[in-house]
Amino acid sequence: MLRRLAHRHRHRHARTAALALAGLVLLLAAGTTGAAAPAARHAGAAPRPVAATTAVPGAPGSATPLSGYAVQSTAKVPDPAEAVSSPGYPATGWYPAGPRSTVLAALLAAGVHPDPFHSTQQQLIPAADFTVPWWYRSDFTVADTTARTHLDFSGVISAADVFVNGRRIAAASTVAGAYTRHEFDITALVRPGTNTVAFRIQPNNPRKHLTMGWLDWLQPPPDENMGIVRDVTVRRAGPVALRDAHVVTALAMPSMATADLTVKARVRNDSDTTVTTTLSGTAGGAAVATSVTLGPHETRAVVLTPAEHPALRLQAPRVWWPAHMGEQPMYDLDLTATVNGIPSDTAHQAFAVRDVRAPLNADGARQYEVNGRPFLVKGGGWSPDAFLRWDPTYAEDRLTYALDLGLNTLRLEGHIEPDEFFDLADRHGILTLPGWECCTKWEGEVNRNEAGERWTAADHSVAKASMAAEAARLRHHPSVISFLIGSDAAPNEQIERGYLDALKAADWTAPVIPAAADTASPITGRSGMKMTGPYDWVPPGYWYDKREGGASGFNSETSAGPDIPTLDTLRRMMTPAELETLWKEPAARQYHRSPSATFDTLELYNAALTARYGPPASLEDYVRKAQLAQYENVRAQFEAYSRNAKDPEDPSTGVVYWMFNSGWTSLHWQLVDRYLDQGGAYFGAKKANEPLHVQYGYDDHAVAVVNNRTAPASGLTARVTLFAPDGTQKYDRSVTGLSVAGGGASSTALTLPESVPGLPTTYLARLLLTDAAGREVSRNVYWLSTEADVLDYERSDWYYTPTTSYADLRGLSSMARTAVAVTATTTADPSGTSTTTVTLRHTGPGGTPALLTDVHLVGSQGVPVLPVRWTDNQVSLWPGESVTLTAQYRTADLRGAAPRLRISGWNTPTATVPAA
């Protein structure tokens, strides 16, 4: 295991390090800065205007983010820092940047560089531009200087000298690390009228600094994300400042009948005289109040408990649940500090009541429980935008997709998103697993085979401060169910002690996980997770073996690697010549796959695709086969983990698909592509995770029913029918009176015989599940072979297990072409949402089914309307069968065009029909 992990990471980043040393220029994303338009729509969009000056009110308790910056390379600014950071400095020729923007994001928004999402255009950007510091300059106005003024920020990459009105208030040695938080009293420097804040941002190198890197996820940007990626806030207050206000909740378990709320805050006297402040407000609707006397410049912690304030013991609390398990109610904390009856400062925070635990089960695997109810973590690895641009609409679209797929968790390895992301996760009931990233400076002290450098004493301070800031920021979010203080390696005792001390000081109550890999830390102990891959192609049957990355325990990152997007997306991201190479040259290096030498080709994937489905005859045929292959593989991964979740021996407790999405236009590790289009991987996951589901086991040929609903189901009928590719029936059996408990339980309905007379090498299995009233509640179609994929486990590497012989699915190519009849209607509601209802009917002659029929909603010129949520898609129909699907989407995304439907499939000719 350890040998494989070491081997894994020598390969995982060797290519990245080589590129960096060679000074090659790699850029990742085009688009706007700040709150950009959703990625599905913003290609070529004009930069969003940036306010030149931020008006800061004088009201006590106000917190005003700077609205944007002017940025420029220090190589082009000869003036001294005192001048650059003073009001009135003429920032002529500087570039506008949003309130959260990397340097390169600003340059892209300004149109300095071409679209780096397309082809290899990112290589045109000179890396030398980012080897020197860059200035970030912003003005704000203040009318009243009687209130105290503080500058509050985090998200500086990698470090910065900070200036206000010509005076340096902090050095880069102090403001270092992407996650550290800083507050400076600038009252003495603030003047009526215009004031200036300036940051001299230092270049970033994730191998040298505790910031963010891209590992083998995507081609790293040449600026390494240097910039300011979180809000810089100007805070105003009276003599007493209110900080760190939060609520620690304790839900009575297992009854959940009561919940204790403990209110905590720090009050700070910023004046030169003794003051008495009254702290009052509400927490969860309960009124609280207390008085505190503070000496000059004294800070004191205030704790309000249910023992002193009985109203803080909630009766019958509204409990927060993950989306698929219940509702997501939130409470509010509102506090005001007053001095002599005048408000001095305020604080607000939303919080929730829930209990989360993650004990190790009898097999040593991490088993998560929310409110006493154990569940299978079904997750995906989250990636932000390649330039760390925050777009709330685009983020919510992806979170909505995660719910649509039946996922309950997203893992954030590094790249911990801003507050709004976790607000959205709280509201939608999506669980999150944030943590530090592997293989950079974060693990430089403990993962010696990686590029990250050894830590200095200053690094230990930055790491502890980062943990303290993130713990304080995330602790109140019910969606956050852990923090992973290690990824591929656990911290040593010194580092772990720093993390744990910071977490304890922040009143962190969620489980702390030492690593995402199967290792242990000196204090916390075993991780209860495994990181055994795979990361490249394996056949669907792989997932059913309880070894390597198969369905047992908690697999923190795993998938069969490549996920070829739809033809629409491929044509947006690659040139015609590159698309020819994609399907004709399996060993060719693919720039849009990974910078890693291990993952820079599609050789393993293309070899399997050709062996199992036959050699591609064209780009269209290659993509068609890829969607079929990805559907079956992703479906098998989630189905195997779901089926094994309740096994009495070595059950599966969690699986994180690596990855849910990509931060750029990619050929691997994505259930949904950059433009939010949906292909075989997406609908394979959606099928596997449907609420009540009938599925086939590649290992034991058993048909099982998995119930992801909370309530049990009974009176079910499961039917399985086997067909030759031409639709000739070879086997049929039904089992009635089936019952299955809720909460992820499964029940075996029947087992297929070892052999079926007359069954061809390639065959189809149609599984139908109906309820007591005869309504179809689950339909699942498999394409299978009497010749199984054979794996050579003895030659397993960290990223895959070799396949020595392949299943023969080439018989699918003999399926006759068959059309599908389509009728559709569309309605639009006043909220701006349209719903298209589609009925597909197989009315063709003969017995051949229409396999994996895809419906794409398109607008003008056949461009997909995205995002869109389908009740189901990529369905398979036999003659005489029909299915009705619905799609919901934003009416505005039609851009004034009438909706149309593009119908295609494995053996269905492509046709486009009106949907109005």
Side-chain angles (χ1 to χ4, degrees):
M1 170 67 179
L2 292 177
R3 179 190 63 79
R4 282 203 305 275
L5 284 178
H7 179 70
R8 165 194 177 187
H9 293 298
R10 281 196 297 271
H11 285 278
R12 187 174 182 182
H13 305 295
R15 177 65 179 161
T16 305
L19 291 176
L21 290 172
L24 295 179
V25 180
L26 306 174
L27 175 64
L28 292 178
T32 60
T33 62
R41 308 193 305 273
H42 74 185
R48 178 174 177 169
V50 176
T53 304
T54 305
V56 174
S62 65
T64 308
L66 297 179
S67 58
Y69 304 91
V71 303
Q72 184 57 278
S73 169
T74 57
K76 298 182 179 181
V77 180
D79 301 312
E82 292 76 14
V84 173
S85 60
S86 293
Y89 177 79
T92 306
W94 290 36
Y95 302 102
R100 307 169 186 173
S101 178
T102 65
V103 172
L104 212 42
L107 297 180
L108 290 170
V112 176
H113 302 294
D115 177 10
F117 275 8
H118 180 71
S119 185
T120 59
Q121 290 182 155
Q122 57 237 42
Q123 292 180 313
L124 302 176
I125 301 173
D129 289 355
F130 313 105
T131 59
V132 299
W134 278 66
W135 279 110
Y136 274 58
R137 189 182 184 283
S138 186
D139 289 338
F140 69 92
T141 59
V142 170
D144 178 11
T145 58
T146 58
R148 301 201 69 83
T149 306
H150 291 83
L151 199 63
D152 186 350
F153 60 90
S154 67
V156 173
I157 302 177
S158 67
D161 300 296
V162 186
F163 300 82
V164 173
N165 290 344
R167 291 273 302 277
R168 190 177 79 166
I169 64 170
S173 58
T174 299
V175 180
Y179 298 102
T180 55
R181 185 172 180 178
H182 308 274
E183 182 180 352
F184 298 102
D185 189 337
I186 59 173
T187 305
L189 299 176
V190 171
R191 64 191 69 172
T194 302
N195 297 267
T196 299
V197 177
F199 293 81
R200 188 164 54 199
I201 305 292
Q202 299 300 309
N204 184 41
N205 183 334
R207 293 161 292 283
K208 297 178 180 293
H209 309 299
L210 293 170
T211 53
M212 302 179 190
W214 283 107
L215 314 176
D216 47 6
W217 299 10
L218 44 72
Q219 300 287 357
D223 73 339
E224 297 280 13
N225 294 129
M226 70 181 297
I228 302 176
V229 297
R230 291 183 182 170
D231 287 340
V232 174
T233 301
V234 181
R235 301 172 69 110
R236 309 301 299 280
V240 171
L242 180 58
R243 296 291 185 266
D244 201 34
H246 62 284
V247 177
V248 181
T249 65
L251 179 62
M253 294 299 298
S255 70
M256 295 189 287
T258 63
D260 284 353
L261 310 182
T262 300
V263 178
K264 294 189 174 185
R266 287 185 295 110
V267 287
R268 185 182 69 215
N269 180 10
D270 287 329
S271 74
D272 297 327
T273 62
T274 298
V275 298
T276 297
T277 182
T278 298
L279 185 64
S280 61
T282 59
V288 293
T290 190
S291 293
V292 182
T293 299
L294 300 166
H297 302 286
E298 179 185 1
T299 299
R300 188 177 301 178
V302 176
V303 181
L304 306 176
T305 68
E308 301 162 336
H309 303 269
L312 291 176
R313 173 161 290 168
L314 300 184
Q315 303 296 320
R318 295 179 291 118
V319 176
W320 188 96
W321 291 92
H324 303 294
M325 298 169 69
E327 301 298 320
Q328 295 80 46
M330 300 291 292
Y331 288 97
D332 291 299
L333 169 69
D334 288 285
L335 295 176
T336 300
T338 59
V339 177
N340 298 323
I342 300 173
S344 182
D345 205 356
T346 62
H348 169 81
Q349 190 171 82
F351 67 95
V353 174
R354 64 98 172 92
D355 180 89
V356 58
R357 303 180 190 185
L360 300 179
N361 67 10
D363 299 294
R366 192 69 61 176
Q367 174 66 71
Y368 277 88
E369 303 172 357
V370 172
N371 303 327
R373 190 184 301 172
F375 66 98
L376 174 68
V377 168
K378 292 188 288 186
W382 177 269
S383 174
D385 172 75
F387 291 100
L388 308 183
R389 295 167 297 184
W390 172 250
D391 177 347
T393 301
Y394 185 44
E396 187 162 20
D397 287 341
R398 286 175 288 164
L399 290 176
T400 303
Y401 269 10
L403 287 178
D404 185 53
L405 291 179
L407 304 183
N408 54 31
T409 306
L410 294 168
R411 180 182 167 210
L412 290 76
E413 181 188 354
H415 306 98
I416 305 175
E417 292 277 41
D419 296 341
E420 295 94 328
F421 173 88
F422 296 96
D423 290 338
L424 288 170
D426 293 343
R427 179 156 58 85
H428 287 290
I430 299 174
L431 304 174
T432 64
L433 294 171
W436 306 128
E437 70 183 33
C438 86
C439 318
T440 58
K441 185 60 175 279
W442 286 102
E443 291 187 353
E445 190 72 8
V446 294
N447 200 351
R448 303 296 172 78
N449 294 303
E450 287 307 323
E453 294 185 355
R454 298 285 297 272
W455 283 23
T456 65
D459 292 322
H460 284 276
S461 297
V462 169
K464 185 174 181 179
S466 300
M467 187 74 265
E470 289 303 283
R473 190 174 72 91
L474 300 178
R475 65 191 164 198
H476 68 282
H477 288 288
S479 58
V480 178
I481 58 169
S482 274
F483 199 96
L484 279 68
I485 56 175
S487 180
D488 294 28
N492 61 29
E493 186 168 3
Q494 181 183 4
I495 296 172
E496 183 180 21
R497 176 56 65 195
Y499 289 152
L500 295 180
D501 287 348
L503 287 160
K504 181 179 179 181
D507 295 317
W508 185 266
T509 59
V512 177
I513 310 300
D518 184 11
T519 185
S521 61
I523 304 170
T524 306
R526 294 182 59 185
S527 71
M529 295 188 174
K530 66 179 182 180
M531 191 186 284
T532 46
Y535 298 88
D536 212 324
W537 192 86
V538 291
Y542 171 94
W543 303 105
Y544 287 85
D545 283 337
K546 291 188 176 183
R547 57 194 298 184
E548 300 295 340
S552 66
F554 194 120
N555 198 339
S556 66
E557 49 182 70
T558 186
S559 76
D563 285 302
I564 305 301
T566 63
L567 196 56
D568 294 293
T569 292
L570 285 171
R571 285 173 170 156
R572 291 181 72 172
M573 62 186 266
M574 300 172 77
T575 66
E578 290 166 343
L579 292 174
E580 284 291 291
T581 300
L582 179 67
W583 73 273
K584 287 182 175 179
E585 300 180 31
R589 288 176 56 188
Q590 296 292 338
Y591 187 73
H592 284 269
R593 188 164 183 211
S594 174
S596 164
T598 304
F599 301 123
D600 62 357
T601 77
L602 291 165
E603 195 164 7
L604 291 174
Y605 177 85
N606 287 352
L609 202 67
T610 295
R612 299 174 92 243
Y613 288 98
S618 64
L619 173 65
E620 291 76 10
D621 186 48
Y622 175 79
V623 175
R624 181 177 70 123
K625 288 172 176 171
Q627 302 314 311
L628 211 65
Q630 287 155 198
Y631 188 106
E632 65 164 341
N633 210 312
V634 174
R635 175 179 59 181
Q637 177 176 334
F638 282 107
E639 284 183 338
Y641 272 86
S642 293
R643 190 199 67 180
N644 289 357
K646 301 296 183 180
D647 276 7
E649 186 175 327
D650 199 10
S652 54
T653 61
V655 58
V656 177
Y657 187 91
W658 207 248
M659 297 175 65
F660 170 70
N661 69 301
S662 179
W664 78 318
T665 44
S666 179
L667 296 171
H668 81 157
W669 294 352
Q670 56 188 357
L671 292 175
V672 57
D673 70 35
R674 169 65 187 181
Y675 300 114
L676 304 181
D677 207 354
Q678 304 149 319
Y682 186 98
F683 291 113
K686 182 176 173 68
K687 175 58 62 177
N689 295 321
E690 62 186 352
L692 191 58
H693 179 63
V694 62
Q695 65 183 59
Y696 166 80
Y698 282 81
D699 57 340
D700 58 6
H701 312 297
V703 173
V705 178
V706 178
N707 185 8
N708 292 307
R709 298 170 176 171
T710 301
S714 61
L716 303 173
T717 297
R719 180 185 179 188
V720 57
T721 312
L722 306 184
F723 300 89
D726 65 1
T728 304
Q729 182 174 306
K730 300 297 182 180
Y731 176 87
D732 186 59
R733 185 182 172 194
S734 296
V735 177
T736 61
L738 292 172
S739 297
V740 58
S746 62
S747 177
T748 299
L750 61 96
T751 300
L752 295 176
E754 288 292 328
S755 62
V756 174
L759 196 66
T761 301
T762 303
Y763 64 97
L764 302 173
R766 183 186 64 191
L767 279 58
L768 301 176
L769 186 69
T770 53
D771 62 15
R775 292 184 295 262
E776 184 178 298
V777 293
S778 179
R779 164 185 289 259
N780 206 354
V781 175
Y782 295 80
W783 37 103
L784 302 169
S785 173
T786 57
E787 297 178 6
D789 296 291
V790 179
L791 289 153
D792 185 357
Y793 281 103
E794 298 305 314
R795 292 198 299 125
S796 291
D797 207 334
W798 63 266
Y799 62 98
Y800 87 119
T801 295
T803 303
T804 56
S805 63
Y806 297 93
D808 185 356
L809 300 173
R810 293 173 296 173
L812 297 177
S813 297
S814 68
M815 296 178 69
R817 304 279 279 174
T818 180
V820 174
V822 185
T823 58
T825 59
T826 296
T827 59
D829 64 34
S831 70
T833 299
S834 285
T835 302
T836 295
T837 303
V838 185
T839 298
L840 304 177
R841 293 183 177 85
H842 189 329
T843 57
T848 304
L851 182 63
L852 217 68
T853 301
D854 177 90
V855 186
H856 253 68
L857 183 78
V858 298
S860 61
Q861 300 180 336
V863 175
V865 176
L866 301 168
V868 59
R869 284 184 297 151
W870 289 95
T871 52
D872 197 5
N873 208 327
Q874 298 198 346
V875 295
S876 299
L877 298 173
W878 270 252
E881 291 183 333
S882 66
V883 63
T884 297
L885 317 173
T886 61
Q888 285 193 323
Y889 50 96
R890 287 185 288 262
T891 305
D893 288 340
L894 284 168
R895 301 181 181 274
R900 296 184 298 162
L901 299 171
R902 187 177 66 212
I903 315 299
S904 61
W906 175 255
N907 59 324
T908 300
T910 300
T912 302
V913 300

